[in-house]
Amino acid sequence: MTDFSDKVVYQIYPKSFRDTNGDGFGDIPGVIEKLDYLQELGVDYLWLTPFFPSPQNDNGYDVADYCAVDPRFGTMEDLEELVRQGEKRGIGLMLDMVFNHTSTEHAWFQKALAGDEKYQNYYIFKDGAPDRAPTNWQSKFGGPAWEYVPDLKKWYLRLYDVTQADLNWDNPEVREELKEILRFWKRKGIRAFRFDVINLVSKPEKLEDDFQGDGRRFYSDGPHIHEYLKELVRDAGIEDFVTAGEMSSTSVEQCIRYSSPKEKELSMCFNFHHLKADYKDGDKWALMPTDYKKLRKLFVEWQMEMQRGGGWNALFWCNHDQPRIVSRMGDESTYWKESAKMLAGIIHFMRGTPYIYQGEEIGMLNARYPSIKQYRDVESLNYYQILLDAGRTEKEALETLAARSRDNSRTPMQWSGERYGGFSEAEPWLPMSAGFRREITVEAQQQDKDSILAFYKRLIAMRKRYPVIAKGKISFLDTGTDMVLAYERTLGKQRIVVLGSFSGKKQIIPVDGAWKRYPVLLENYEGREISPEEEWYAMEPYEFMVLGTV
């Protein structure tokens, strides 16, 4: 497989990145326009979320045609030009393949609805009466996971929206169709793939009710998942590609298998356990302060176990489905800059491949819309009503969306201080973040040597310069507090120690290792250092520091 240990991936949500034709909707020419900016940032791959034809019920993750470009985003020629221009700058393109389900507008599903048995077998249809679903499984977006089709007298499985019908991977013809889609994009010059919720595609042969949960324990990491992934990668000829799998409700043991080079499945895995450390009782829609003890425990577990088993992590805080991390675990006001840098640094020096989500490199904040009318996300709209039905007030429901909605990450990219942030000359498809301010723009931060953007450039440059960051072993240090995470990376004689405080208050930590004599390589407070004579060090709010001999 390709050596990707020193690579960095930048995720683009095209719909919200840059609009060049004035329709309020981001497009592929907008990505081309910003390639010089991305090259200067230093990233190696651009992960584009789906730009395929789609009714946009789930913002493109309801695909109607896998081998075309939705006219809203541009043309196939635009995509081919993006590939060419990216290659000139040493940047490859990573496409987002949604292979668990298709849109119900996809030609396959439409043929299934018309009675074609071949295409009905492309999906998971089950005979049944209209008053009894095949199982009691729940959709990820709320409500039942099955939809009844009266004309067919059948139910179809849809783990997500009603317009997203799950594919039947047990059908060899389906797997052949998906391989051919990958081959198509290979011919177009695509060199990396991200697979959406890929560990959900192998469903159990026997479908049964779940009286302990929502059904996910039956289909997550299903019976043939490893077999099917090996086949897909081998037959599509993408063994040497960078491939990332999004894993829903998975385990570290499974991710070792998915990403171990000897298994020849995927390059790396996304897991979301660390992003549930502020879920009360495991419920995304029940708010609580972040449990930093749990957060540290999860980082230690996943870093150490993946290292021990030869697996590889995708390192991230933000993506198109997650709230902005500065709003979530940092500080939106007094320590905005310091906390954004700390959160970036604590992830980027870990063992794995870092991902930057658009706007993360300038510290963008959550949307915090004052009205439900401003939200667009199907999950958010569904859960707003679910929260109201459960007895929450409108104010309480909006407070929950302000913290959890996927629209928090989908607000237009803030390029400049203009009315619509330089994203578009027209009103955007989604309103600007309520936290939009001039210093949180690319334009302002390009002029500031101490900006969050400048800090990200240093993070990326250091990964490429110092092999210990890309290839070194990791071990965690005891700081005596859950609020300060510390770890060491080692490779031969190269050693670095990383310290990051998640607290808005000063934290006192012990200094008792040889590392206290290391010079400071990177910090988010100017002029800070650890005296070799001191046994204790007082960390400033959200302080971040890297010491090392490299």
Side-chain angles (χ1 to χ4, degrees):
M1 286 188 173
T2 301
D3 183 4
F4 45 81
S5 60
D6 66 343
K7 301 298 187 284
V8 178
V9 183
Y10 186 94
Q11 183 189 354
I12 291 176
Y13 195 71
K15 197 173 182 179
S16 298
F17 192 64
R18 172 73 175 108
D19 168 29
T20 61
N21 62 3
D23 63 359
F25 198 95
D27 46 48
I28 293 172
V31 180
I32 297 172
E33 180 186 290
K34 300 299 183 181
L35 281 174
D36 287 343
Y37 163 76
L38 295 164
Q39 182 183 22
E40 185 181 339
L41 183 59
V43 299
D44 302 282
Y45 290 93
L46 303 182
W47 157 21
L48 267 62
T49 56
F51 50 76
F52 314 114
S54 164
Q56 295 289 318
N57 290 315
D58 188 21
N59 283 295
Y61 283 85
D62 45 328
V63 179
D65 184 346
Y66 291 102
C67 296
V69 175
D70 192 310
R72 281 173 283 197
F73 291 111
T75 65
M76 185 63 77
E77 288 72 25
D78 291 330
L79 192 281
E80 292 167 347
E81 180 66 11
L82 175 57
V83 171
R84 284 192 294 270
Q85 292 299 325
E87 286 179 348
K88 287 182 180 179
R89 295 165 175 81
I91 299 174
L93 217 57
M94 173 184 281
L95 295 198
D96 202 333
M97 309 314 295
V98 190
F99 282 173
N100 178 68
H101 45 260
T102 74
S103 167
T104 51
E105 291 189 14
H106 195 289
W108 299 341
F109 194 81
Q110 289 299 306
K111 290 176 181 177
L113 290 182
D116 190 324
E117 288 189 13
K118 172 183 175 178
Y119 289 99
Q120 286 179 6
N121 287 329
Y122 272 39
Y123 298 90
I124 301 174
F125 278 98
K126 297 295 177 184
D127 294 325
D131 59 346
R132 178 67 174 95
T135 70
N136 65 351
W137 298 355
Q138 293 295 295
S139 162
K140 303 283 189 179
F141 291 164
W146 294 91
E147 193 68 22
Y148 191 68
V149 183
D151 290 347
L152 299 177
K153 296 182 180 179
K154 294 177 184 289
W155 294 82
Y156 67 86
L157 181 66
R158 48 95 173 185
L159 294 179
Y160 291 87
D161 187 58
V162 62
T163 63
Q164 292 168 296
D166 281 50
L167 285 165
N168 175 19
W169 274 60
D170 290 331
N171 182 346
E173 292 184 80
V174 169
R175 302 200 301 276
E176 288 304 317
E177 295 269 20
L178 301 180
K179 293 170 196 173
E180 189 51 43
I181 291 165
L182 296 178
R183 296 183 193 113
F184 173 86
W185 289 112
K186 274 182 61 180
R187 293 191 291 270
K188 293 290 184 182
I190 301 304
R191 290 294 174 262
F193 293 102
R194 181 260 191 188
F195 294 99
D196 187 62
V197 294
I198 193 65
N199 68 317
L200 307 187
V201 302
S202 176
K203 308 302 192 293
E205 184 176 343
K206 179 184 178 183
L207 300 179
E208 54 186 303
D209 287 333
D210 188 352
F211 298 108
Q212 299 177 28
D214 61 6
R216 70 184 63 191
R217 65 193 181 97
F218 293 127
Y219 56 74
S220 298
D221 307 306
H224 300 288
I225 182 60
H226 295 285
E227 169 193 337
Y228 290 163
L229 268 180
K230 285 179 172 65
E231 177 189 317
L232 182 75
V233 169
R234 180 191 66 238
D235 293 357
I238 59 171
E239 300 97 328
D240 294 329
F241 281 42
V242 172
T243 52
E246 181 194 27
M247 304 298 169
S248 175
S249 303
T250 192
S251 67
V252 67
E253 293 80 13
Q254 289 287 353
C255 281
I256 289 170
R257 291 188 65 185
Y258 289 128
S259 62
S260 172
K262 65 183 181 182
E263 295 290 340
K264 297 184 179 179
E265 293 182 14
L266 301 171
S267 306
M268 66 193 77
C269 293
F270 288 93
N271 86 84
F272 298 89
H273 296 277
H274 65 296
L275 293 174
K276 298 178 183 179
D278 56 359
Y279 286 13
K280 188 176 181 180
D281 300 322
D283 181 0
K284 174 178 176 176
W285 303 98
L287 306 183
M288 75 171 204
T290 300
D291 182 340
Y292 289 103
K293 181 176 183 178
K294 181 178 181 181
L295 182 69
R296 181 186 188 279
K297 181 180 178 182
L298 286 164
F299 276 138
V300 171
E301 176 190 0
W302 279 83
Q303 285 286 302
M304 298 306 291
E305 290 300 316
M306 290 287 271
Q307 176 174 262
R308 190 172 296 117
W312 195 256
N313 285 298
L315 306 172
F316 73 107
W317 286 119
C318 301
N319 65 26
H320 61 288
D321 286 335
Q322 296 293 330
R324 293 288 182 177
I325 195 60
V326 179
S327 297
R328 190 172 185 177
M329 295 184 192
D331 187 306
E332 291 187 337
S333 54
T334 306
Y335 299 108
W336 162 70
K337 184 183 288 188
E338 291 82 1
S339 65
K341 291 179 180 180
M342 182 280 295
L343 289 161
I346 208 72
I347 280 285
H348 274 249
F349 284 94
M350 287 185 182
R351 181 180 176 276
T353 296
Y355 283 68
I356 301 166
Y357 179 71
Q358 64 182 51
E360 189 177 0
E361 77 275 20
I362 58 171
M364 281 181 61
L365 308 177
N366 278 352
R368 296 199 181 280
Y369 296 138
S371 168
I372 190 61
K373 294 180 181 179
Q374 293 174 286
Y375 285 92
R376 302 289 182 268
D377 174 41
V378 59
E379 180 190 46
S380 300
L381 297 175
N382 286 351
Y383 269 94
Y384 178 77
Q385 190 59 50
I386 289 170
L387 291 169
L388 293 182
D389 292 343
R392 305 280 183 89
T393 65
E394 288 188 16
K395 181 181 179 182
E396 289 171 334
L398 285 172
E399 286 176 353
T400 300
L401 291 189
R404 295 287 194 255
S405 173
R406 299 191 303 177
D407 279 341
N408 283 316
S409 60
R410 299 173 181 182
T411 57
M413 179 68 179
Q414 296 167 190
W415 297 103
S416 70
E418 297 173 19
R419 184 181 180 189
Y420 297 125
F423 163 71
S424 177
E425 295 181 0
E427 183 177 353
W429 72 277
L430 182 69
M432 301 297 295
S433 166
F436 174 44
R437 51 187 200 243
R438 184 168 182 80
E439 65 265 34
I440 313 182
T441 63
V442 170
E443 181 182 62
Q445 294 193 29
Q446 284 178 325
Q447 310 305 316
D448 179 6
K449 293 182 180 179
D450 188 45
S451 68
I452 299 167
L453 177 61
F455 191 81
Y456 268 88
K457 290 178 182 178
R458 291 187 68 185
L459 289 176
I460 296 169
M462 287 178 72
R463 171 168 286 265
K464 298 180 185 307
R465 182 177 180 183
Y466 302 127
V468 65
I469 301 170
K471 300 181 183 298
K473 291 183 178 180
I474 189 169
S475 59
F476 286 79
L477 306 175
D478 184 9
T479 62
T481 171
D482 297 326
M483 301 307 297
V484 177
L485 184 65
Y487 55 88
E488 185 173 23
R489 303 293 309 279
T490 60
L491 182 69
K493 293 182 179 180
Q494 289 192 337
R495 277 169 168 68
I496 61 170
V497 167
V498 181
L499 304 167
S501 174
F502 287 85
S503 175
K505 299 179 181 179
K506 284 192 175 184
Q507 299 290 316
I508 309 298
I509 65 168
V511 183
D512 59 0
W515 56 266
K516 67 182 179 181
R517 300 181 183 277
Y518 296 167
V520 176
L521 302 178
L522 184 66
E523 58 189 333
N524 64 346
Y525 278 84
E526 188 176 353
R528 298 282 287 169
E529 62 181 28
I530 295 178
S531 171
E533 288 73 36
E534 297 295 331
E535 295 183 2
W536 301 91
Y537 179 66
M539 295 196 73
E540 295 295 325
Y542 300 105
E543 184 173 357
F544 176 78
M545 184 180 289
V546 180
L547 306 99
T549 57
V550 291

